[in-house]
Amino acid sequence: HRVDRRQRQMCIRDRYQRRVRGVSIIQQSSTIMSHRKFEAPRHGSLGFLPRKRSRKFRGRIRKFPRDDPTKPVGLTAFLGYKAGMTHIVREANKPDSKIHKKEVVESVTILETPPMIVVGIVGYVETPRGLRTLTTVWANHLSDQCKRRFYKTWYASKKKAFTKYAKKYAENNKAKTIDREINRIKKFCKVVRVIAHTQVRRLPMNTKKAHILEIQVNGGTDISAKIEYALRLFEKHVPIDAVFEQNEMIDTIAVTKGHGFEGVVTRWGVTRLPRKTHKGLRKVACIGAWHPANIQWTVPRAGQYGFYHRTEANKKIYRIGKAKTDSGTTDFDLTKKQITPMGGFPHYGIVRGDFLMLKGSVPGTRKRPITLRKSLLPQISRTAQEKIELKFIDTSSKIGRGRFQTSEEKKKFMGPTKVHK
């Protein structure tokens, strides 16, 4: 009996010690943080948040280049429309590079840029909270494609926009109204911008409403020079070569192609989960810890993909083409041809007006307005200083695999067909 009692006490003591030891192990493990099984950089950039649909269909200029009084007066932006892409061949001019004096093939984007029409001038005054509009002066005559932008349903409206304003240009009223506002701009304003609109009726598009853009006037010794320059442009056409020149580096501002609502694998590029994962594998495995008891803003989530407002810097101008010329011809390729490929640009058509050839891609779909702005920074790199001399511009069909550069070349190779007989 005495032995049984001693064994019972030893069992109780061992059970108590195991219980105390287990509690201490739990307390010790709670202070050690867990670890990742695999280390990797995060998926997707946080610099472009929030990833939401753009409010504007046209690219908005948030900042204009800094004014330089030593330069002549001129405009700082323009508006073009994306037609499509092709490729060119040129000889690289980069000393100490492996491609120096060698032919390179590069992709280019064609933007059709019909002349813009200036219809107004805006004066801004500087305040502690930034720029503020002082007054606006409009031109005497505005085209219908410009007035359409001020109406939701043009056909059902009375089309009375600016009819009363035009009476201010009468001889007995101009000194009291128009001249008075211009003098106010000269006296108080520090920044002058013109209001210009595009000519969409010259493009292969169904829209009849012009896109309107404010363009800052830079250069000149004083504000009066800017205002006189802007007033001289009233109701006149401003071509693309009056704003930009070849070999210049510019910025493009546009809305990207929209893709609707997408999941985290497409939208953020996260890794898919293993095949046997319960309830789907195109997911984020863990969207956060227990505490804080909310989802962090850095966690990838499903939502809108595309149709973002984006600014891309340093696009080099390879060519400024003029209407009704052999714009696809180079000094090395003497074939007389237009810039439009055989069969036209897919989903766009034929480029009949002035155009801009930019290196690389441009955000947005075809027919989308692209805002072109002068560079904000001084361009001193070797790429910016390089002079571009094109050897060949591809104008073969972009529908399928094009073999021929012109229709005459195709007829010469194929011979007479039943259609031509």
Side-chain angles (χ1 to χ4, degrees), residues 118-121 137-140 169 230-236:
V118 176
V119 294
I121 179 175
V137 177
W138 293 89
N140 191 3
Y169 277 88
L231 293 175
R232 285 198 303 269
L233 295 178
F234 265 25
E235 303 179 25
K236 292 185 179 179

Side-chain angles (χ1 to χ4, degrees), residues 253-272:
I253 307 171
V255 177
T256 62
K257 183 187 295 186
H259 299 280
F261 193 98
E262 287 288 355
V264 290
V265 174
T266 300
R267 192 178 185 221
W268 291 91
V270 302
T271 306
R272 295 191 309 162

Side-chain angles (χ1 to χ4, degrees), residues 273 283-287:
L273 299 178
K283 298 172 178 290
V284 176
C286 177
I287 60 173

Side-chain angles (χ1 to χ4, degrees), residues 38 49 83 153 186 193 206 253 260 289 299 312 335 362-363 399 404:
F38 303 104
L49 291 179
T153 52
K186 289 182 179 180
R193 297 175 184 171
N206 293 328
I253 307 171
V299 178
E312 292 190 1
T335 306
V362 169
I399 307 170
F404 308 101

Side-chain angles (χ1 to χ4, degrees), residues 169-329:
Y169 277 88
E171 293 183 0
N172 55 349
N173 289 335
K174 187 177 180 182
K176 299 179 183 178
T177 56
I178 303 299
D179 295 344
R180 175 177 173 271
E181 295 302 317
I182 293 174
N183 291 330
R184 287 183 65 207
I185 295 176
K186 289 182 179 180
K187 185 176 180 181
F188 299 108
C189 293
K190 299 294 184 182
V191 175
V192 175
R193 297 175 184 171
V194 298
I195 302 173
H197 71 82
T198 59
Q199 301 184 73
V200 292
R201 303 307 294 267
R202 295 192 177 190
L203 302 170
M205 297 168 61
N206 293 328
T207 181
K208 298 177 182 179
K209 288 184 179 182
H211 292 94
I212 302 176
L213 180 69
E214 272 194 17
I215 305 174
Q216 186 161 308
V217 181
N218 279 0
T221 55
D222 56 356
I223 201 73
S224 298
K226 294 181 173 64
I227 296 173
E228 291 172 3
Y229 174 83
L231 293 175
R232 285 198 303 269
L233 295 178
F234 265 25
E235 303 179 25
K236 292 185 179 179
H237 292 215
V238 180
I240 182 66
D241 55 0
V243 182
F244 301 116
E245 58 186 10
Q246 190 172 342
N247 300 319
E248 187 177 353
M249 302 286 278
I250 64 174
D251 301 338
T252 59
I253 307 171
V255 177
T256 62
K257 183 187 295 186
H259 299 280
F261 193 98
E262 287 288 355
V264 290
V265 174
T266 300
R267 192 178 185 221
W268 291 91
V270 302
T271 306
R272 295 191 309 162
L273 299 178
R275 182 188 61 82
K276 297 180 69 174
T277 306
H278 183 53
K279 290 187 178 180
L281 52 82
R282 297 176 65 88
K283 298 172 178 290
V284 176
C286 177
I287 60 173
W290 191 331
H291 292 290
N294 52 5
I295 301 175
Q296 299 295 304
W297 61 278
T298 57
V299 178
R301 305 292 280 165
Q304 173 67 31
Y305 180 55
F307 206 78
Y308 305 140
H309 186 276
R310 291 289 180 265
T311 301
E312 292 190 1
N314 300 335
K315 301 288 185 181
K316 195 175 184 68
I317 298 177
Y318 274 13
R319 172 170 286 194
I320 297 179
K322 305 299 291 183
K324 300 179 182 179
T325 60
D326 296 326
S327 52
T329 305

